[in-house]
Amino acid sequence: MSEKTKWLKVSAAILGLTCLLPVAKADELFQDAGSWLQVVGEGSLKAVDPSLEKGRIWVEGQSRFDDNWNHWYQGMVRTAIGYSLSERATIWAGYTWLPTQNIGKNYVAQQDVWPAFRYVLPTDVGTFTFRTMVETNFIPGNGSDVRVRPRQMIRFLHPLEFEPRLSLIAWDEFFVRLNSTPKGGQSGFDQNRAFAGLGWTFNKNFRTEAGYMNQYLDDNTHTNNTMRHLIMGSLFVNF
């Protein structure tokens, strides 16, 4: 494959992901800026027992800021147990705790349980990762109702030839509410997250990523929208 053709394919992959972002007029949106910071750890359970080599564990923590970086509004703790079906495919069962303190609102802590499926597809232009999660959201004030919210991520990583430790990264994740609940909102579109940035691989155990993430959110009644312009930094630990 020629170098020109390869870069055209890389550009098309990145553009295709970022174009998934919903489009709306700027004057119809509430816009804000902030940052998300996350640490993600994933590894095999063979360290516990060699017979558990195909077993996986996933732990993750996030801290999120809004109001032009002036306000911490949300944290996130996620943990899951998985099983490697093959070198490319993994299934997961997990739990998420989401403490939230929005400006002018009471503190709430949402809890989620979910299955997930991840598939990694290497290609000659980079690696695509597909992750499907189906969250069951337990939202305070929702009574006995639970919200079901599928989310689909498509991620692309392309190591640069002049420095393989440096990578171009783009991903998009789309959320949908399957049902209507009092606090979880009306069914339909929920939010979209689109990211573009760079990654640096220190070694097989540590990698960092940093870049811009655009988060587009619909409110409970599909009448008011929010767009957050976020700087996102991540540390990935493999063990």
Side-chain angles (χ1 to χ4, degrees), residues 35-187:
S35 60
W36 286 16
L37 304 173
Q38 71 171 0
V39 178
V40 182
E42 184 183 330
S44 171
L45 292 175
K46 66 181 180 181
V48 178
D49 187 324
S51 65
L52 299 176
E53 182 177 2
K54 290 189 176 182
R56 307 289 294 176
I57 185 170
W58 168 7
V59 291
E60 180 177 350
Q62 292 189 12
S63 193
R64 302 171 179 178
F65 300 84
D66 65 357
D67 192 28
N68 295 313
W69 293 276
N70 291 316
H71 174 249
W72 178 92
Y73 78 97
Q74 197 168 66
M76 193 270 282
V77 176
R78 177 182 289 155
T79 183
I81 295 294
Y83 183 80
S84 296
L85 300 174
S86 68
E87 291 185 356
R88 297 184 181 183
T90 307
I91 55 173
W92 299 93
Y95 165 82
T96 303
W97 179 57
L98 197 71
T100 303
Q101 180 63 74
N102 287 317
I103 296 174
K105 296 185 179 181
N106 294 330
Y107 166 86
V108 294
Q110 177 179 311
Q111 299 183 74
D112 308 331
V113 293
W114 42 268
F117 174 75
R118 183 180 66 197
Y119 188 80
V120 180
L121 179 64
T123 71
D124 56 0
V125 295
T127 300
F128 289 89
T129 301
F130 304 87
R131 188 186 73 188
T132 304
M133 299 175 67
V134 182
E135 295 178 336
T136 300
N137 306 138
F138 297 89
I139 303 172
N142 231 8
S144 60
D145 293 329
V146 295
R147 182 178 68 185
V148 180
R149 186 175 68 169
R151 48 193 287 187
Q152 178 66 53
M153 172 184 278
I154 305 173
R155 173 184 169 88
F156 175 71
L157 182 149
H158 174 75
L160 299 178
E161 290 190 3
F162 70 88
E163 175 51 85
R165 292 174 294 179
L166 184 65
S167 301
L168 296 175
I169 297 165
W171 56 258
D172 188 272
E173 188 169 21
F174 188 84
F175 297 63
V176 176
R177 309 171 202 147
L178 284 189
N179 59 324
S180 300
T181 62
K183 293 293 184 180
Q186 296 177 4
S187 61

Side-chain angles (χ1 to χ4, degrees), residues 201-221:
T201 300
F202 292 97
N203 52 50
K204 65 178 182 179
N205 299 115
F206 295 96
R207 189 178 83 255
T208 60
E209 296 179 3
Y212 167 76
M213 185 177 81
N214 185 292
Q215 183 188 29
Y216 182 94
L217 302 113
D218 211 349
D219 74 350
N220 283 357
T221 60

